Amino acid sequence: MGGGGSGVKALWNLPPRRLVVPPMNDLRHALRLLAKSPGFALVAVLTLAVGLGANTTVMSWIRGILLEPLPGVPDQERVLVMGGKSRSGDDRSWSVPDLRTLQEEWHAAEVVGVDMLTLSLTAGDQPEKVWGSIVTGNFFDALQVPVAPGRGFRKEEDGAPGAHPVVVLSHEFWARRFAADPGMIGKTILLNRHPFTVIGVAASGFQGAQSGLRADLWVPLAMQETVIPGGSRLDSRGSHWMQALARLRPGVTMKQAQAALNGIAADLGREYPDTNDGMRFLLFRFWNAPMGPSMVLMPVLVVLASMAALVLLLACANVANLLLVRALGRRREIAVRSALGAARNRLVRQLLTESLLLAVPAGVLGVVLALGGVRLLKTFVPPVDAPVALAFHLDGRVLALTAALTVLTGLLFGLAPAIQTSPRRIAPVLRDESASTLGGRKGRARSALVVAQIALSCLLLITAGLFFRSLGRGGEIDPGFRTRNALLAAIDLFPNGYDEARGRVFYREALRRLSALPGVESASVAIYLPLDFGGSSSTNLQIDGYVPKPKEEVVVEYNVVGPDYFRTMSIPLVSGRDFGLQDDEKSGCTLAVNETMAGRYWKNRNDALGGRIKLWNEDCTVVAIVKDGKYQQLGEPPRPFFYMPILHMYQASSVIHVRTAGDPLALVPALRSEIREMDPYLPLSAVKSLREHLKISVFAQRLAASFLGAFGLLALVLATVGLYSVIRYAVSQRTREMGVRAALGAQARDITRLVVKEGMVLAAAGLVVGLVAAVGI
């Protein structure tokens, strides 16, 4: 023993030498060591790859939805969403005169107006439904989107109404529908049976200026009456129907632009008090805009990003623990190298090289996993009659962030083991005088980490369970109508050349035919679906006998529906009657109000029946009071709502509703056959059951529940790996103690019980902490 001690001292007293080793030697040495432990390397790489893949996936979602949701538009950090607020604080879209005023007087930015619409394209024998956008003439110039072949819109093409029927195609639509034929430039296509000249093709990748939606083509705003029914909307300052974007001019900040915008809004309020008094014009970044997919997905993506980051931290902690366990066998090697003159930073560099060697392939594998993950969100998109196009891809920015995260990860999980396993005191290591228990500050820290891992996995799983339970309870909430045995199908009569007279005839005949089909209980139409994205409109009302409070706006949401609508949707009538064929253009205006509206605007709710309402300069009579329903969200509080008959207030675009006695999808062939007999060129779209449609109302909850559950299971796996590494470390540290116990008569089962007990204590502590945290959730 004495000789061994003096040998150690002699070795320690050797003059220090600095070994200069090229970094490539570090790399070769690290490769040799990892090749000797392929199982350890595989577990470490897979653990890190899952964490990095989850973070890369969520980063691509955040970029594609919240930060840069408009593919093909450069410098999106300078593009802002424009919103309006009424005097009462309600969201407002834009009128064309207000947009024109901003384009002329607001010098801080270029303003672009846009609205989505459906069109009937005739470029051969069979018309087809396409999705287009009507835009202001500066659309492509302001967004800096190239148009080639051909050109974009000119200023004069946005002037005189109806004078310039021109159209720009999207690159994807041009390639799909016209085989990318350059000869299409200058040719004529029929949109809503009107000739339009193709003047250009937008740059590849550009899909429009409304985030989350894809446009096939664009027409100038001056062609509004040709593509949108209902007369001109170009001169009415009170007609709010467009969305707007603004590109800040060079050198202008968002704060400066908002200040100038406030001044213009105040001037318009004084100049046009009937339409603009109290109106506010606001600027938003894409991530906090009050419309579009960001409004629904922002909270979910923030939660998922936080959970993905925590999962990566757990992965780093687990790999660090595994490296610590593995490094126990290398302590003598490291101590000898240090005694022979290797500097401390030299040893740390060697160990960090090994950790980075694990992180790099994990990062590559994480990117491979993310290639599939970026498309995963699209599988959760609910069935909607809209060209949903969420643009997710791993571009240079996302890959650069992943590369930086990979390096940071390698340093994070490699630094602590590197510092702890390059000892300051070499002699005890060479004498193999290691600690014999799990205790001590480092052991407690590792144990606390495992407890936190188990607690987090428990918390995630319980949270996911709560989301799934809310999904189940969401199905139990009464939406105000019966969800079973109802079929839906969207139609649009205007693109096929129907005027109001022909449209009313079509509705009457279609409802007569569909109601007569075997198995059909009733049929109707409506322009909006309940619990849909943007499922209603609102308007100002003047109610006889009701005196608004100072600065109160009587603005109420409404739907336009067909005969027998309440019967078809199984919406209970409180009093009055359903709409019928007699509620047409020849009769007086009739309305139905819900219970909340009746109770708010009449002293006695029953007095609403027969009440008079002035709507768009027309006197209307309330003929029904119906039960409250859910119109936008399942969890919304009761709100005023009214209905008006479509045969009186004609609308060309609507959704057919059919109530059946059995499976509604079994009626689809008969429904298509009847509509085809009436008009073989009229397409049906978004054919689905009402129950399938209601998936929209729980879209965010279903997404959150699924991914939180996946992250919870992943965290549980990582916690298990962490628990294993800590127990293994403890066993390796207590080898001498266990040998003494065995020598004194302890059986194998006693030692096993001792080790399992330590693991169970950590697991129980993690469960308790997780359950306590879950109480708050």
Side-chain angles (χ1 to χ4, degrees):
M1 292 292 292
S6 61
V8 170
K9 292 178 181 178
L11 185 59
W12 173 247
N13 290 324
L14 285 175
R17 291 178 295 166
R18 293 294 177 256
L19 302 180
V20 180
V21 182
M24 285 303 299
N25 286 357
D26 288 342
L27 183 61
R28 284 193 290 268
H29 183 63
L31 285 172
R32 285 195 300 269
L33 289 175
L34 292 178
K36 294 178 180 178
S37 306
F40 159 78
L42 181 62
V43 171
V45 169
L46 289 178
T47 300
L48 293 171
V50 172
L52 289 169
N55 280 268
T56 303
T57 298
V58 175
M59 282 192 298
S60 71
W61 292 348
I62 290 175
R63 181 184 175 278
I65 294 176
L66 303 181
L67 302 180
E68 296 184 4
L70 305 181
V73 176
D75 299 326
Q76 289 189 45
E77 63 274 5
R78 299 196 63 78
V79 179
L80 305 174
V81 178
M82 300 184 65
K85 289 281 187 182
S86 68
R87 186 172 60 234
S88 59
D90 296 322
D91 290 326
R92 286 284 186 270
S93 49
W94 292 87
S95 68
V96 174
D98 282 349
L99 288 179
R100 298 296 194 203
T101 299
L102 292 179
Q103 287 178 332
E104 294 171 2
E105 300 181 9
W106 190 36
H107 304 300
E110 294 183 83
V111 179
V112 171
V114 58
D115 189 51
M116 208 78 177
L117 69 158
T118 58
L119 299 163
S120 174
L121 167 69
T122 305
D125 296 331
Q126 184 73 28
E128 65 177 285
K129 177 181 177 179
V130 297
W131 289 89
S133 283
I134 185 168
V135 299
T136 50
N138 65 338
F139 181 76
F140 294 104
D141 291 337
L143 294 180
Q144 299 177 6
V145 175
V147 178
R151 61 172 178 84
F153 301 125
R154 293 176 178 150
K155 185 175 181 180
E156 63 269 18
E157 292 168 341
D158 197 23
H164 298 280
V166 293
V167 59
V168 174
L169 307 179
S170 76
H171 191 279
E172 187 274 338
F173 182 69
W174 175 57
R176 171 171 51 86
R177 184 62 177 79
F178 301 106
D181 179 13
M184 282 301 300
I185 306 301
K187 286 189 176 180
T188 297
I189 60 175
L190 295 181
L191 296 176
N192 293 356
R193 300 190 178 184
H194 292 273
F196 279 73
T197 302
V198 178
I199 60 171
V201 176
S204 177
F206 179 66
Q207 61 185 28
Q210 289 175 286
S211 59
L213 298 176
R214 182 202 70 250
D216 296 321
L217 49 86
W218 297 270
V219 297
L221 183 58
M223 300 303 299
Q224 177 259 311
E225 286 190 82
T226 305
V227 296
I228 301 177
S232 176
R233 304 183 184 181
L234 302 181
D235 300 320
S236 174
R237 199 171 287 272
S239 179
H240 299 267
W241 60 283
M242 296 199 79
Q243 307 301 321
L245 299 175
R247 178 181 285 278
L248 297 177
R249 297 188 187 277
V252 178
T253 66
M254 184 175 175
K255 184 177 181 180
Q256 293 169 337
Q258 182 65 69
L261 194 59
N262 293 340
I264 296 175
D267 292 341
L268 289 176
R270 289 188 292 268
E271 189 173 356
Y272 304 99
D274 291 343
T275 58
N276 289 72
D277 182 39
M279 279 282 292
R280 290 182 295 146
F281 299 157
L282 302 174
L283 297 176
F284 301 94
R285 297 290 182 186
F286 284 112
W287 59 267
N288 67 339
M291 69 285 291
S294 60
M295 178 180 64
V296 178
L297 293 176
M298 170 72 173
V300 175
L301 290 177
V302 169
V303 172
L304 292 182
S306 302
M307 294 303 102
L310 287 176
V311 166
L312 182 57
L313 284 176
L314 293 180
C316 291
N318 283 343
V319 175
N321 271 336
L322 290 173
L323 283 173
L324 279 172
V325 173
R326 182 171 176 269
L328 288 175
R330 301 178 58 195
R331 289 185 305 157
R332 180 175 291 273
E333 168 207 338
I334 294 171
V336 170
R337 293 175 65 186
S338 181
L340 291 175
R344 182 178 177 82
N345 61 351
R346 164 72 186 86
L347 297 173
V348 170
R349 190 183 76 184
Q350 171 64 52
L351 294 170
L352 286 179
T353 300
E354 295 175 22
S355 64
L356 288 172
L357 196 58
L358 292 172
V360 170
V364 174
L365 182 56
V367 170
V368 174
L369 294 175
L371 288 174
V374 293
R375 299 176 179 87
L376 190 58
L377 188 60
K378 296 180 181 180
T379 63
F380 289 85
V381 175
V384 293
D385 184 26
V388 176
L390 299 175
F392 306 131
H393 57 278
L394 300 180
D395 64 355
R397 293 187 183 182
V398 173
L399 292 177
L401 285 172
T402 303
L405 191 60
T406 299
V407 174
L408 180 62
T409 298
L411 295 175
L412 186 63
F413 75 77
L415 191 59
I419 293 174
Q420 291 189 28
T421 55
S422 54
R424 295 179 183 275
R425 295 176 64 238
I426 300 176
V429 176
L430 293 176
R431 289 196 300 265
D432 199 20
E433 296 174 356
S434 58
S436 61
T437 67
L438 184 60
R441 185 175 56 189
K442 297 175 182 177
R444 286 195 297 270
R446 282 188 287 271
S447 298
L449 180 59
V450 171
V451 170
Q453 291 174 334
I454 296 173
L456 178 61
S457 62
C458 178
L459 180 63
L460 287 175
L461 290 172
I462 291 175
T463 305
L466 292 174
F467 272 102
F468 278 118
R469 189 175 68 176
S470 72
L471 288 176
R473 289 186 174 179
E476 299 172 5
I477 295 176
D478 181 10
F481 52 87
R482 187 156 58 94
T483 61
R484 297 186 60 185
N485 299 340
L487 183 66
L488 308 172
I491 58 172
D492 193 352
L493 301 178
F494 181 73
N496 275 39
Y498 286 78
D499 57 17
E500 290 192 17
R502 287 187 60 208
R504 289 189 175 94
V505 170
F506 178 90
Y507 281 139
R508 289 189 176 94
E509 179 63 14
L511 296 181
R512 184 191 68 80
R513 284 171 171 256
L514 296 177
S515 298
L517 289 174
V520 172
E521 296 179 353
S522 63
S524 187
V525 296
I527 65 170
Y528 294 119
L529 290 171
L531 301 174
D532 198 3
F533 292 139
S536 67
S537 291
S538 60
T539 187
N540 294 85
L541 299 173
Q542 294 179 7
I543 301 173
D544 282 359
Y546 180 77
V547 180
K549 299 171 184 175
K551 294 189 177 181
E552 177 188 4
E553 285 187 304
V554 182
V555 178
V556 182
E557 292 178 281
Y558 69 92
N559 197 355
V560 182
V561 303
D564 288 333
Y565 176 77
F566 303 119
R567 178 188 169 201
T568 303
M569 290 292 288
S570 294
I571 299 175
L573 284 167
V574 177
S575 59
R577 64 173 178 83
D578 206 336
F579 291 134
L581 295 174
Q582 73 274 16
D583 297 298
D584 59 12
E585 75 280 11
K586 298 177 183 178
S587 67
C589 174
T590 55
L591 302 176
V593 302
N594 70 352
E595 293 174 290
T596 298
M597 183 172 176
R600 178 173 298 185
Y601 297 114
W602 282 270
K603 292 181 179 179
N604 187 315
R605 188 184 71 179
N606 295 328
D607 293 340
L609 192 64
R612 305 286 292 176
I613 297 176
K614 191 162 189 176
L615 175 65
W616 302 318
N617 296 321
E618 187 174 12
D619 290 325
C620 303
T621 303
V622 177
V623 299
I625 302 174
V626 301
K627 182 181 176 181
D628 285 346
K630 305 295 184 181
Y631 309 106
Q632 298 289 341
Q633 298 177 357
L634 278 174
E636 70 188 17
R639 64 175 69 184
F641 199 90
F642 74 91
Y643 305 84
M644 55 193 317
I646 199 169
L647 295 181
H648 182 86
M649 179 62 183
Y650 173 77
Q651 299 289 314
S653 177
S654 65
V655 179
I656 296 172
H657 296 53
V658 181
R659 173 71 60 184
T660 65
D663 179 11
L665 296 180
L667 189 71
V668 172
L671 172 65
R672 292 189 181 277
S673 176
E674 291 295 330
I675 299 300
R676 192 180 302 113
E677 284 187 15
M678 295 182 62
D679 187 343
Y681 298 109
L682 180 66
L684 287 176
S685 61
V687 180
K688 58 189 174 184
S689 68
L690 179 58
R691 175 161 286 187
E692 183 183 9
H693 162 75
L694 291 183
K695 292 180 181 178
I696 294 174
S697 61
V698 292
F699 164 55
Q701 291 91 335
R702 188 164 63 96
L703 177 66
S706 300
F707 280 96
L708 282 176
F711 283 155
L713 291 174
L714 181 58
L716 184 60
V717 171
L718 293 177
T720 303
V721 174
L723 183 61
Y724 162 78
S725 63
V726 167
I727 297 301
R728 181 177 175 182
Y729 180 83
V731 171
S732 65
Q733 292 287 73
R734 301 175 65 179
T735 303
R736 191 172 289 178
E737 173 199 344
M738 292 177 182
V740 172
R741 287 176 179 268
L744 293 176
Q747 301 295 317
R749 63 175 178 271
D750 298 322
I751 296 176
T752 302
R753 188 184 305 115
L754 179 67
V755 174
V756 172
K757 179 182 176 181
E758 291 184 0
M760 293 301 294
V761 168
L762 294 177
L767 287 174
V768 171
V769 174
L771 289 173
V772 171
V775 171
I777 298 296

